[in-house]
Structures are given as structure tokens and as C-alpha cells.
Amino acid sequence: EVQLVESGGGLVQPGGSLSLSCAASGFTFSDHHMDWVRQAPGKGLEWVGRSRKKANGYNTEYAASVKGRFTVSRDDSKNSLLLQMNSLKTEDTAVYYCVRDNDHYGMDVWGQGTTVTVSS
Amino acid sequence: DIQLTQSPSFLSASVGDRVTITCRASQAISSHLAWYQQKPGTAPKLLIYAAFTLQSGVPSRFSGSGSGTEFTLTISSLQPEDFATYYCQQLNSYPLTFGGGTKVEIK
């Protein structure tokens, strides 16, 4: 079964850091771009960042709202995707989804999400 | 950045109705558009990619059309399980962006 499972969410104070993990199974992880997408409470979807596959140099892209604060990385040997979040702001409060990305062909596999709350 | 404007943002419909949702892009995105369905408390689900290609396992009552800047998602005969929020997404250029969503509720 193709599956993505996120972990690492929790409560953190403004200015703090948190690291999210995503464990992939059921498919060849190294063949796919991977993304993080978030959803603030009661709001719509916001793309956070992308890690391209090895064939594309593992290049990363970020939304302007997180660039310089968040880092997406991956470990193909462990089938895992990471999101390191620094200098967190209250507006980063959201459910964070790990997503398999088929480039122009859509995001076809989503994890169940992990909740990050930034509050004092 | 490419802005996606969905309309309507909310619609009330009955089982069996034909429903159309529009997504307009602020600049041309070829056919690099996807549609997602999201039900409360769950992750989004890919319905359509490349503007009109049905994702495997998605019922044929869903269809997509359009290219360039104007796109539509049509549900030919609304079923009880289709009441949800629908999002479009452009995958043409960074940053990837989503529309604001269309919530489909039971009339």
C-alpha cells in the first residue's frame, strides 16, 4: 500500500523550531518529487516547499512565506522527507501534509497530516 | 505569483444536480492544473490532473476542462459523498498555488 505518515507536530513558542518527518512506503521514493503543503485552521491549502528527486539534483523550492526559515530535505536511503522549521511565527500554525508530487500531473498521495501550533 | 480565483466560493445543491466550479488563473498556465476534493478532517484527494485527466479510481461523473487561464470542474450528477470542498491548483510555475476553495453543501 502506498502510504505517507507524518510525525513531529506539536506546540512550540513563537521564535522556536520544530522538525517534521514523513515516512514513505509502498513506492519507489527516490523516483518522486516530494512536497509539504499546509492548511491553517479553517483556511485553504498553501504549498510550502518541494524537494525534487535525485534525477533533478534534489533541488528545493519554497513559498515566499517560509523561504529562509524552513528547509525541506530528504533521505532516499530511509524513504523519508523532512521539514525543518525555524523562527516559527503564529501564522505558521497549521496542519502540515507530506505529499507525493508528480510534477505537472498533480499531487497524488497525501499523508494524514500533523498539527503544528505556534503559540505562547 | 500566479493567482487562482475559484467561483463560486460556496454553493448549495441537491443530489442529482449538475455542478460546475470555475477556476481562473491570473496568467496562462497551459494545462498544468489539478483539482482536489477535501472532506472535513481528512487530507485532500486528487481528482483531476492536466486539466482534464481523471485520476485512477475517481468516478466518471467528475470531469475537467479548459486551458490557458480558464478551467472548470463539473460533477454531472451530484452524489451524497460529493459534498466537500474543492480546490484547484496550478503546477505551471513556482510558487505552486491553490485556489481559495469551493464548498459544496446540501440544499
Side-chain angles (χ1 to χ4, degrees):
Chain A
E1 179 192 6
V2 174
Q3 196 172 13
L4 297 170
V5 179
E6 303 95 336
S7 60
L11 174 64
V12 60
Q13 291 190 338
S17 298
L18 201 62
S19 181
L20 304 183
S21 298
C22 170
S25 59
F27 66 99
T28 305
F29 183 76
S30 58
D31 284 349
H32 291 271
H33 305 320
M34 296 295 297
D35 291 53
W36 290 96
V37 173
R38 69 183 180 183
Q39 187 168 35
K43 302 297 185 182
L45 301 170
E46 180 186 19
W47 173 76
V48 171
R50 168 187 275 184
S51 170
R52 290 191 184 87
K53 59 189 178 184
K54 181 179 180 180
N56 296 100
Y58 294 129
N59 289 338
T60 54
E61 300 284 349
Y62 297 95
S65 59
V66 306
K67 195 169 185 178
R69 300 188 299 123
F70 289 14
T71 302
V72 180
S73 60
R74 62 194 292 163
D75 185 341
D76 287 357
S77 69
K78 296 181 179 178
N79 293 338
S80 69
L81 182 73
L82 302 175
L83 180 65
Q84 177 64 41
M85 303 184 292
N86 298 329
S87 303
L88 281 160
K89 306 175 182 180
T90 56
E91 53 263 42
D92 295 319
T93 294
V95 174
Y96 284 73
Y97 294 102
C98 171
V99 186
R100 188 174 81 172
D101 183 340
N102 287 324
D103 208 348
H104 295 313
Y105 305 109
M107 298 179 175
D108 66 338
V109 181
W110 294 65
Q112 84 288 353
T114 188
T115 300
V116 173
T117 303
V118 184
S119 175
S120 55
Chain B
D1 296 5
I2 297 174
Q3 313 300 323
L4 296 180
T5 303
Q6 282 185 240
S7 60
S9 55
F10 173 87
L11 73 87
S12 181
S14 301
V15 172
D17 284 353
R18 182 181 181 89
V19 167
T20 299
I21 298 168
T22 299
C23 178
R24 288 188 174 87
S26 59
Q27 56 187 275
I29 57 170
S30 184
S31 296
H32 300 146
L33 188 104
W35 290 95
Y36 301 86
Q37 176 193 66
Q38 186 179 32
K39 298 181 180 180
T42 69
K45 171 187 172 183
L46 177 64
L47 296 177
I48 288 169
Y49 61 90
F52 57 83
T53 303
L54 208 61
Q55 173 69 354
S56 176
V58 174
S60 58
R61 62 181 180 273
F62 291 92
S63 64
S65 64
S67 67
T69 61
E70 187 149 340
F71 302 84
T72 59
L73 172 69
T74 299
I75 309 172
S76 60
S77 177
L78 200 64
Q79 298 302 300
E81 59 268 29
D82 301 336
F83 292 94
T85 300
Y86 294 85
Y87 295 93
C88 58
Q89 181 199 28
Q90 66 85 16
L91 301 112
N92 187 73
S93 62
Y94 296 108
L96 306 183
T97 48
F98 290 89
T102 297
K103 187 172 185 180
V104 178
E105 289 200 343
I106 301 173
K107 182 182 286 184

